[in-house]
Structures are given as C-alpha cells and as structure tokens.
Amino acid sequence: TQLLEQSPQFLSIQEGENLTVYCNSSSVFSSLQWYRQEPGEGPVLLVTVVTGGEVKKLKRLTFQFGDARKDSSLHITAAQPGDTGLYLCAGSSGYSTLTFGKGTMLLVSP
Amino acid sequence: EAQVTQNPRYLITVTGKKLTVTCSQNMNHEYMSWYRQDPGLGLRQIYYSMNVEVTDKGDVPEGYKVSRKEKRNFPLILESPSPNQTSLYFCASGRKGDSPLHFGNGTRLTVT
C-alpha cells in the first residue's frame, strides 16, 4: 500500500508570514497533484508536478517535486487570509487511482 | 462551465432508511469516484468507475452501492444507512483514474 504523509497536520500563522508544507512517501510517484479545499467546498486542483526536481509557481505559491519523485513541498510566501484551507497532495503511480495524503489544515489570521 | 454536481448538499436521515446521493458531471470524463471525508482520516475512497458499466471497490466500500449506467452520472446508494456512515461525501471525476480530479461541493450526511 502506498502512503503519502503530509506535515504538519495543522498550521496557524499570521498574515504576511511564510510557510512550507510537506508531502512525503517511501514510494515513487509518476506525478503529484496539490489541491486546496476551502471550508464547505470540494478540493480544487492547484498544480500537477511531473518531473523530478520540477518547480512550479502559482503567484505566491511555489511547488517542488523531489528529485527522486518521492516527496513534494508547497511554500507560500507572505500568506494571506484567503490562503486558509486544507491542502491535499495526491500521487499518481500508474495504478488505477490516486493516493491522497490526509492534508495540512492552514489557518491564516489577519 | 465544467462542473461536478452533487445533490443534496445536506441530508439528515434515520438508521435504515434507504437514500441516494446523486452525482453528475458535464466534462465527458470516463472516470468517476466517491470519497468520504472524516476528521483525522482524510479522504477515503468508497467506489470508483473507470467507465460506463465498470465499477470497483475502493478502500471503504462496506454499506455502499454504486451504479454507472451512463457516463455522466454516478449515484451513491446507501441501502440501510447506519450512524457510522455520518460523514462528508465527495464525488469526483477525471479523464482517467490518476488524472487531476474535479470534485463536487460535497454532501454532508447525518444518520441518527
């Protein structure tokens, strides 16, 4: 069974701070997806990373896929209250369906 | 607008009363899936479907049924709901099983 461990589980910060959340596995994934879920809504895809070592930027969010394609990180610069939500990573390994991590709950206070 | 539509958004029912949660997608996706989300347990897959008339069990299929008679619809059926099925349910669709997924807005089910 493939597992994706996300850390930290919870993160509470002030507006303007920087933060990094992690998604780790002992398994290799062919690609990794990051989703954000806001309260009362379903998860929404933020980005997909495919190549080992790949870095993708989405405004103040920077996503990195590990060289060995076993881990990924999400860095947010100057967090804003609108960044509040549950961040989920999901790995694709060529099996039939995605493997989801349990998520990191981020709260950004004004 | 590309979307996955679930109904109802909220449902309160009693133990043993059969219910169906509907899910429809307008993106011509072959893959559809149902998840339940519980605090501390994350998203757990209930059932999925790779295409019409093809369904498979996920990680937590007990107490649930699904059908995929047409590409756009994938209803979730609880024949005899129990309190341990109280949860937040999400339907999702994608081009294939490991593609990026589009999620519905969820159905919050309470079984008393």
Side-chain angles (χ1 to χ4, degrees), chain B residues 29-46:
Chain B
H29 284 160
E30 293 194 346
Y31 176 82
M32 296 186 76
S33 182
W34 277 102
Y35 295 87
R36 61 178 289 175
Q37 188 176 41
D38 302 287
L41 298 176
L43 281 171
R44 293 182 292 168
Q45 190 174 47
I46 303 170

Side-chain angles (χ1 to χ4, degrees), chain B residues 46-108:
Chain B
I46 303 170
Y47 269 95
Y48 63 95
S49 170
M50 291 297 189
N51 213 327
V52 176
E53 301 291 0
V54 179
T55 62
D56 282 292
K57 295 178 180 179
D59 299 316
V60 289
E62 294 77 21
Y64 305 94
K65 283 176 57 177
V66 292
S67 68
R68 187 93 183 273
K69 293 185 172 61
E70 26 178 12
K71 198 177 223 182
R72 64 183 295 122
N73 296 322
F74 191 44
L76 179 69
I77 303 156
L78 284 72
E79 294 269 4
S80 182
S82 61
N84 65 11
Q85 292 178 299
T86 291
S87 186
L88 180 58
Y89 291 86
F90 288 102
C91 180
S93 73
R95 287 190 305 108
K96 48 181 185 158
D98 58 355
S99 297
L101 297 179
H102 293 252
F103 284 84
N105 277 333
T107 296
R108 186 165 291 281

Side-chain angles (χ1 to χ4, degrees), chain A:
Chain A
T1 304
Q2 297 183 306
L3 290 175
L4 277 169
E5 304 275 352
Q6 290 192 245
S7 60
Q9 287 186 322
F10 303 99
L11 192 53
S12 181
I13 62 172
Q14 296 294 122
E15 182 176 2
E17 292 184 32
N18 301 332
L19 67 112
T20 302
V21 298
Y22 300 92
C23 176
N24 295 306
S25 177
S26 58
S27 304
V28 175
F29 290 96
S30 56
S31 66
L32 205 130
Q33 302 161 19
W34 283 93
Y35 295 79
R36 178 168 64 210
Q37 183 180 6
E38 297 183 17
E41 299 183 9
V44 175
L45 180 73
L46 295 172
V47 77
T48 302
V49 285
V50 178
T51 306
E54 181 178 6
V55 176
K56 280 192 174 178
K57 292 193 174 185
L58 191 66
K59 297 182 181 177
R60 293 174 295 98
L61 279 60
T62 302
F63 303 84
Q64 184 161 10
F65 201 13
D67 291 341
R69 290 185 286 127
K70 293 183 179 181
D71 55 87
S72 181
S73 63
L74 159 59
H75 181 79
I76 301 179
T77 303
Q80 298 177 0
D83 295 325
T84 291
L86 178 68
Y87 289 81
L88 294 162
C89 65
S92 166
S93 55
Y95 295 118
S96 55
T97 62
L98 296 172
T99 298
F100 277 90
K102 292 184 179 179
T104 292
M105 183 67 221
L106 172 65
L107 175 63
V108 184
S109 302

